[in-house]
Amino acid sequence: MKRKATAMGAAYSTDPDQQRSGTSGSSTSLSQEQLFSVPLDILEEIFLNLPPHQVVCVCRLVCHQWKEVADSESMWKERCRREGCFIRDASRIPKDWRLFYFLCKKRRNLLKNPRAEHQMKNWQIIDNGGDKWKAEGVMVQHPNDAVQNNFVTSYGLCRKMQLIDLEKEGYNPSFMDHFQPDIKISDWYAPRWDCGSEYEISVQLLNRKKKPIQTFAPETIHFQQWNDQKWCQMTHVFRDYGQGVRFIRFTHGGKDTQFWAGWYGIRVTDSSVEICPAGDTEL
């Protein structure tokens, strides 16, 4: 026998006298459960065809049974399957499939203009040494064919930064504190073949006063003159960083080491900062 779920609603009677008196007859009156019962598997299918926010914000508030279906692991797992939200690391099964679904759907690059398509727009220049930052086309094909431009540094130190306000991006404080989703950063960098250069990066998780909670700042990477000028990727995932994260500060840059006028320093492009579900942050 199929399980049943009931919707909220008033009992109904066909007898006008009974409606006025508030009494009901055993042969003409039906209970709320009898009138509004729906098999749970059918209710689940209905929910799977509704917008997900409506399921969470409306349907689960109707009654206990609807809440049970709206919160069920099976429904959110099936929704993930149907909408292509797959786990990259099969050894890390989500503890909360609903959270996994919404994080997958919300996942995006929080950095603006990461590929130099709009010159220096959205970036705050911290250091602008030598002949300053410049945006130009890539010298060597990037592994991602969609990347056609990069930022390039000069003979003096060049650094630029973006500050990400997580609440403005839709990740409110209570969500960040309770779930502490993975935060993945990525950056691509490459030297010129005929000039030595340096690359550096620093990414900080900040509290509401913009004080660091955690910092990723590897040692400066040095390239010798006459190198293969291939693109390299820097990645890192912040996990279990505790409560209080409200901002992310992403800073990177470098310079050439030959002190040549022009733009012979390190090139950077396709930078990213993403809020990810656990198990979906392979490096």
Side-chain angles (χ1 to χ4, degrees):
M1 179 177 291
K2 293 181 178 179
R3 298 177 299 164
K4 299 286 184 178
T6 60
M8 293 181 67
Y12 178 81
S13 171
T14 57
D15 187 336
D17 293 332
Q18 291 176 356
Q19 290 179 4
R20 287 193 297 271
S21 64
T23 61
S24 60
S26 59
S27 62
T28 58
S29 164
L30 292 174
S31 69
Q32 177 177 318
E33 288 78 9
Q34 289 173 316
L35 280 171
F36 295 94
S37 63
V38 180
L40 290 186
D41 54 350
I42 293 178
L43 187 62
E44 180 175 296
E45 185 62 32
I46 293 172
F47 285 0
L48 285 168
N49 287 277
L50 291 175
H53 286 86
Q54 185 174 331
V55 174
V56 173
C57 299
V58 179
C59 297
R60 72 185 300 273
L61 305 180
V62 170
C63 62
H64 175 75
Q65 288 87 352
W66 283 34
K67 181 179 184 297
E68 178 185 344
V69 175
D71 290 345
S72 68
E73 176 182 301
S74 63
M75 191 198 74
W76 292 104
K77 189 174 182 179
E78 175 62 14
R79 190 149 204 153
C80 288
R81 186 191 69 80
R82 292 187 186 186
E83 298 185 26
C85 300
F86 299 114
I87 305 170
R88 299 184 186 183
D89 183 353
S91 67
R92 302 188 67 188
I93 303 300
K95 296 179 180 179
D96 186 331
W97 281 94
R98 181 174 66 180
L99 174 64
F100 179 82
Y101 171 83
F102 279 107
L103 283 174
C104 284
K105 287 298 182 178
K106 198 175 182 64
R107 183 174 180 175
R108 66 195 189 281
N109 189 358
L110 300 180
L111 291 175
K112 309 296 190 296
N113 187 29
R115 299 175 179 175
E117 295 168 328
H118 306 287
Q119 297 298 309
M120 304 306 298
K121 184 179 180 181
N122 301 114
W123 291 94
Q124 178 182 339
I125 304 300
I126 300 175
D127 296 295
N128 218 7
D131 286 324
K132 304 180 180 181
W133 279 100
K134 182 182 179 182
E136 62 180 21
V138 296
M139 291 186 64
V140 177
Q141 184 176 8
H142 191 275
N144 180 355
D145 291 337
V147 178
Q148 296 295 315
N149 298 284
N150 56 228
F151 302 97
V152 57
T153 60
S154 188
Y155 60 87
L157 179 61
C158 295
R159 292 190 303 155
K160 59 187 178 68
M161 180 271 287
Q162 279 194 43
L163 182 68
I164 299 168
D165 185 328
L166 290 172
E167 189 164 13
K168 286 184 178 179
E169 295 293 339
Y171 300 95
N172 65 53
S174 60
F175 173 85
M176 292 301 299
D177 289 348
H178 181 73
F179 292 108
Q180 296 179 38
D182 289 356
I183 300 174
K184 179 181 179 180
I185 67 101
S186 173
D187 198 26
W188 288 87
Y189 58 98
R192 277 181 62 115
W193 69 279
D194 56 351
C195 185
S197 59
E198 297 177 356
Y199 164 78
E200 62 179 65
I201 183 173
S202 172
V203 184
Q204 295 178 309
L205 307 185
L206 310 176
N207 64 18
R208 64 182 180 83
K209 294 183 178 180
K210 297 184 176 66
K211 301 298 182 182
I213 291 176
Q214 275 195 27
T215 298
F216 170 68
E219 293 184 0
T220 299
I221 295 176
H222 302 269
F223 290 93
Q224 299 298 319
Q225 189 179 21
W226 315 120
N227 57 77
D228 59 14
Q229 70 179 14
K230 288 184 178 179
W231 285 102
C232 306
Q233 185 181 25
M234 177 69 71
T235 60
H236 179 73
V237 178
F238 291 97
R239 296 189 177 102
D240 303 320
Y241 40 78
Q243 298 185 351
V245 174
R246 302 293 179 263
F247 300 90
I248 302 172
R249 180 187 290 136
F250 182 101
T251 307
H252 67 171
K255 63 178 181 178
D256 85 52
T257 56
Q258 310 298 126
F259 299 98
W260 290 351
W263 297 273
Y264 292 84
I266 201 73
R267 286 149 165 72
V268 292
T269 192
D270 206 21
S271 314
S272 68
V273 174
E274 299 175 300
I275 307 296
C276 311
D280 199 43
T281 52
E282 64 177 10
L283 298 178

